[in-house]
Amino acid sequence: MAVSIKYYTNRTLAITILVIMAIWALLFYAFLMDEVYDNVDDGLKNQKLEIIREAYNNPEIIETSKEYGINQFKIYPTQPSEDIDKNHFSRELMYMPYDDEDEPYRILKTGFYSKDRKAYALEIRTSTVEEDDYLINLAISLAVLYAIIVISILVINYFVMHKGWKPFHKILENLSNYRFGHTKSFEPVPTEVKEFQELNNQINQMISTNEAVFQDQKLFLENASHELQTPLAITIGKLDLLLQDGNLPEEQTIKIAEAKQSLHRMVGLNKSLLMLSRIENNQYTSSSDVKFNTVILQKLEEFEEIIEFKDIQINMLQKGHFIANMNIDLARVLISNLLRNAIKYNVQAGHIDITIDDNEIDIANSSNDGALNPDFIFKRFHKGTQDSQSNGLGLSIVKTILEKYPNLTITYDFIDNLQHFTIKKIK
């Protein structure tokens, strides 16, 4: 799942700081405890020297210090040994009446020889820190510190990053408004951030390249269409002259007529492909509120002869006025292709039902061919089995036109032997 860079940065920083502080806390705790015990041990060793010196000068202290007292040490007889004066440190829990619980003590165990060469053991104790309590306090302090750091980062990021990324969001907004053929539709955003300046430059270079390619393609298509239309028109004209010659055998006349029909198909295909290219290249940029009721009536008048020839009955029900903001020429092509499709694939003496309201236009024609495959009917050059003479681009042009207008869509249904093509407004 995609996340914003602000959320991604905050999450990464929070996790990274948590890991760093956890490692640092362990190292700090180990170092601090080592330093504490080192200082305590130094103090015990210093006490050891002072007690041994006092016992040598005042042997009576040996007899009066056989148990821990206010001096926190005790002396008792032991066996002579070579390392009797070696220092042994340990940590033990001892009962403290004040707290009524066991508390940690650091104990030094060693030995010495008295003035009369007798061996004695010496134990010195001193209270030290409670590691558990210390660890808990350290953890609480670090948790508070971590919370303060994270909150500070979030606050700083909210204000700093919001301001810092503002040019980027403006660049995205301007880029989304860019349209081919309109170089001024994208405006670079002034910014002091080096990376965003580079982004502006790269986008400008990309647009310049695309505009150059677009203009070349547009010119090529127009020239190619013109160059194709002229020889096709000349060829069709010459074939018409041949057909007017009454001396041609019937077989040759039929072949010339078939050739002329193929040329007309080429002319239609050339016009359809040029139309698709112009639509995809956004050459129909102007727009206005189009009253589709009027457009449909105009197109029905244009197709009146072919409608009468096929003896098709037109049933038009206007429940409302379908008005959409789009290019008027594309609106005419859209309705023209749908009506042509309804007439062309209708049955002899069939009917076309047109229903119009404020939100949709439904064009349904009678048919004996059954349901069409909705996955293919809007694809280019898909002709099915209805008409081998079709170029398969009529409904594809309809789909391409509507894709340019996100608030409009088209659906297909087959109900009661009627092919329904419905244009709907998306709310």
Side-chain angles (χ1 to χ4, degrees):
M1 182 180 66
V3 296
S4 67
I5 191 169
K6 183 188 295 184
Y7 173 81
Y8 177 81
T9 302
N10 290 337
R11 182 184 64 184
T12 303
L13 284 175
I15 295 174
T16 303
I17 292 173
L18 178 61
V19 173
I20 292 175
M21 289 189 65
I23 296 174
W24 178 85
L26 293 175
L27 295 176
F28 178 74
Y29 176 76
F31 171 79
L32 199 59
M33 293 307 300
D34 181 72
E35 190 68 20
V36 167
Y37 285 129
D38 184 64
N39 289 335
V40 171
D41 293 347
D42 287 344
L44 291 174
K45 287 186 284 186
N46 185 65
Q47 282 185 265
K48 166 192 169 180
L49 295 176
E50 293 180 354
I51 292 171
I52 293 174
R53 185 180 301 114
E54 183 65 22
Y56 188 83
N57 294 328
N58 185 13
E60 293 181 1
I61 197 174
I62 297 176
E63 297 298 329
T64 59
S65 303
K66 293 182 178 181
E67 297 294 336
Y68 286 116
I70 59 174
N71 293 324
Q72 296 296 305
F73 70 89
K74 66 180 180 178
I75 302 174
Y76 54 90
T78 188
Q79 298 296 322
S81 64
E82 293 182 359
D83 57 348
I84 191 173
D85 59 345
K86 188 174 181 179
N87 298 324
H88 300 277
F89 295 96
S90 63
R91 179 180 178 275
E92 297 180 12
L93 294 176
M94 294 187 176
Y95 177 75
M96 292 186 66
Y98 179 79
D99 293 329
D100 192 25
E101 62 181 2
D102 292 337
E103 297 291 343
Y105 273 80
R106 189 69 170 170
I107 298 176
L108 168 60
K109 296 180 180 181
T110 185
F112 66 94
Y113 289 101
S114 64
K115 191 174 183 180
D116 56 0
R117 304 305 299 170
K118 291 182 179 180
Y120 289 95
L122 172 63
E123 291 185 14
I124 310 172
R125 69 178 185 180
T126 183
S127 62
T128 185
V129 295
E130 297 186 41
E131 295 186 23
D132 294 341
D133 293 342
Y134 179 75
L135 185 60
I136 292 174
N137 292 333
L138 178 62
I140 294 174
S141 300
L142 290 176
V144 173
L145 178 61
Y146 172 74
I148 294 173
I149 292 175
V150 170
I151 292 174
S152 301
I153 290 175
L154 293 177
V155 173
I156 293 172
N157 278 352
Y158 177 80
F159 291 102
V160 175
M161 292 188 68
H162 179 75
K163 181 179 179 180
W165 283 92
K166 190 174 182 180
F168 176 77
H169 294 294
K170 185 62 178 177
I171 292 173
L172 288 182
E173 180 183 349
N174 291 351
L175 189 59
S176 65
N177 294 328
Y178 167 70
R179 295 293 181 270
F180 277 121
H182 298 271
T183 55
K184 293 183 179 180
S185 58
F186 174 79
E187 298 181 1
V189 178
T191 176
E192 297 179 357
V193 181
K194 180 180 179 181
E195 287 76 9
F196 295 157
Q197 291 177 352
E198 183 66 21
L199 180 61
N200 271 326
N201 295 335
Q202 292 298 325
I203 292 176
N204 280 327
Q205 293 178 12
M206 179 192 69
I207 289 177
S208 299
T209 302
N210 288 342
E211 288 293 334
V213 173
F214 171 73
Q215 293 299 329
D216 291 343
Q217 183 183 17
K218 178 180 176 183
L219 184 62
F220 169 77
L221 289 172
E222 292 175 352
N223 291 340
S225 176
H226 177 74
E227 293 298 325
L228 282 173
Q229 290 294 105
T230 302
L232 287 174
I234 294 173
T235 304
I236 291 173
K238 290 183 177 181
L239 290 178
D240 283 334
L241 293 176
L242 287 174
L243 290 173
Q244 294 173 10
D245 189 350
N247 298 323
L248 290 175
E250 181 180 356
E251 182 180 351
Q252 291 185 0
T253 302
I254 293 174
K255 290 182 178 180
I256 292 173
E258 290 175 350
K260 180 183 175 183
Q261 186 178 10
S262 297
L263 288 174
H264 277 297
R265 286 183 59 199
M266 288 185 64
V267 171
L269 178 61
N270 182 56
K271 289 181 179 180
S272 296
L273 289 174
L274 183 60
M275 170 65 68
L276 279 171
S277 177
R278 286 175 174 174
I279 294 172
E280 291 178 342
N281 289 334
N282 296 311
Q283 292 183 238
Y284 296 92
T285 54
S286 62
S287 62
S288 60
D289 288 336
V290 178
K291 298 179 180 179
F292 276 80
N293 302 56
T294 304
V295 174
I296 292 174
L297 291 173
Q298 292 173 350
K299 289 301 174 182
L300 286 174
E301 289 182 7
E302 293 179 13
F303 298 142
E304 185 175 358
E305 291 185 5
I306 188 172
I307 290 173
E308 291 179 355
F309 176 77
K310 294 193 70 172
D311 193 21
I312 296 174
Q313 179 182 353
I314 304 296
N315 302 314
M316 186 167 177
L317 177 61
Q318 301 186 59
K319 297 180 180 179
H321 297 276
F322 189 94
I323 301 174
N325 188 272
M326 65 182 301
N327 182 271
I328 182 63
D329 294 325
L330 292 183
R332 289 170 180 154
V333 173
L334 173 67
I335 297 301
S336 177
N337 282 10
L338 288 175
L339 289 177
R340 284 179 187 274
N341 185 77
I343 296 170
K344 189 173 186 179
Y345 299 111
N346 213 318
V347 297
Q348 187 68 29
H351 60 92
I352 297 176
D353 300 331
I354 303 174
T355 305
I356 307 173
D357 62 28
D358 294 337
N359 295 310
E360 68 178 42
I361 300 172
D362 182 71
I363 300 176
N365 62 279
S366 52
S367 172
N368 293 328
D369 297 315
L372 305 176
N373 190 336
D375 295 329
F376 296 100
I377 55 176
F378 295 108
K379 292 187 179 296
R380 296 181 186 181
F381 303 108
H382 175 73
K383 297 181 288 186
T385 58
Q386 292 178 312
D387 186 3
S388 60
Q389 302 299 316
S390 171
N391 58 31
L393 291 176
L395 291 178
S396 176
I397 292 176
V398 170
K399 186 69 172 178
T400 303
I401 291 173
L402 292 176
E403 286 176 347
K404 296 297 178 181
Y405 300 95
N407 60 324
L408 297 176
T409 186
I410 187 168
T411 60
Y412 165 79
D413 293 291
F414 183 74
I415 305 172
D416 297 332
N417 289 326
L418 292 178
Q419 310 280 1
H420 289 261
F421 289 90
T422 308
I423 301 174
K424 298 179 180 180
K425 290 182 181 179
I426 301 175
K427 297 181 180 180

